[in-house]
Amino acid sequence: MHHKQVLNFYNSENKIMPKIILKINHTSDKIYDDENICCYVAESDLPLEFIRKIAAKGKMVLLSGGKAVSLCKDSDFDGVLVEISTSQPIKAQINKIRSQLGQNKALGVIIPARRHEAMLASEAEPEFVAFRFLASEKEKAIDVIKWYNELFLIQSALDLSSGMQQVSETDCDFLIINSQDYKDFGC
């Protein structure tokens, strides 16, 4: 992710499998430390000492939530993961966050799995684009993500932090899952 690294690994069928971005939402969440986890996303409302405990694992730490950008700058974390509003200009939102963060921080953006938003988000060049969709939208989302991966070089993620889904047929670089879902995830 950082410096546009490719962080994939292969499963037993020699198929590229996505790396896990583990989302920590509460101080009661377990901070798993596994080779499949490439990065943590910590909710910016968590106590700073708790977030530093996550960072002590030695992996990239992104912040999410309302205070993510300011806390990232003030406490020198690796970057942010932000949800982009589709009711406002997408590129302008991303460019504003990038200018606040600076070029040396990782920026991941969460968008709906739609071509228009994917195209606009990618033109602003975040480190990765995370697609969020409902289970009922999965078939259409898979088509959009396939199109995206063929057209854009910016890495893709599936944001499953709103609930787990069967996504093994979806090609992406990263899966964002909640810590509470990791034990049963099958890694």
Side-chain angles (χ1 to χ4, degrees):
M1 262 174 358
H2 205 49
H3 305 295
K4 311 243 188 226
Q5 286 180 296
V6 176
L7 299 172
N8 291 322
F9 65 99
Y10 293 86
N11 70 5
S12 60
E13 291 87 36
N14 209 26
K15 178 184 175 194
I16 294 177
M17 298 297 293
K19 282 292 204 173
I20 303 297
I21 298 175
L22 194 68
K23 192 158 190 284
I24 310 294
N25 300 299
H26 310 284
T27 55
S28 60
D29 286 349
K30 182 171 180 176
I31 306 168
Y32 291 93
D33 190 6
D34 185 288
E35 67 181 26
N36 298 328
I37 298 170
C38 66
C39 176
Y40 298 101
V41 174
E43 177 58 46
S44 60
D45 286 334
L46 291 170
L48 185 56
E49 289 308 312
F50 185 77
I51 299 172
R52 286 192 174 127
K53 181 179 170 185
I54 297 167
K57 297 286 186 185
K59 296 181 182 182
M60 180 179 280
V61 175
L62 305 179
L63 300 172
S64 65
K67 298 187 276 184
V69 174
S70 61
L71 183 59
C72 183
K73 287 174 41 179
D74 294 344
S75 300
D76 200 33
F77 290 105
D78 298 303
V80 298
L81 175 63
V82 295
E83 185 170 356
I84 300 301
S85 171
T86 58
S87 64
Q88 298 175 23
I90 291 172
K91 286 172 40 176
Q93 292 174 76
I94 296 170
N95 290 337
K96 180 180 178 183
I97 294 165
R98 173 62 78 201
S99 70
Q100 292 171 332
L101 281 177
Q103 292 298 321
N104 294 326
K105 301 287 184 179
L107 173 57
V109 297
I110 301 170
I111 60 169
R114 296 190 297 247
R115 287 182 183 208
H116 180 71
E117 285 85 351
M119 184 174 58
L120 293 173
S122 292
E123 287 174 356
E125 297 184 351
E127 275 60 49
F128 68 96
V129 172
F131 295 97
R132 182 183 290 161
F133 53 91
L134 301 172
S136 61
E137 302 168 323
K138 184 170 124 180
E139 189 174 314
K140 186 176 179 181
I142 289 171
D143 288 339
V144 169
I145 295 164
K146 182 179 181 198
W147 164 85
Y148 174 87
N149 287 330
E150 290 172 358
L151 192 59
F152 294 98
L153 296 176
I154 295 170
Q155 293 181 318
S156 64
L158 300 184
D159 180 9
L160 302 178
S161 61
S162 296
M164 295 302 292
Q165 299 182 45
Q166 174 53 261
V167 292
S168 60
E169 70 277 10
T170 308
D171 185 27
C172 64
D173 299 298
F174 310 105
L175 292 176
I176 302 169
I177 63 171
N178 292 315
S179 173
Q180 65 195 26
D181 295 327
Y182 188 73
K183 183 178 179 183
D184 298 324
F185 185 66
C187 290

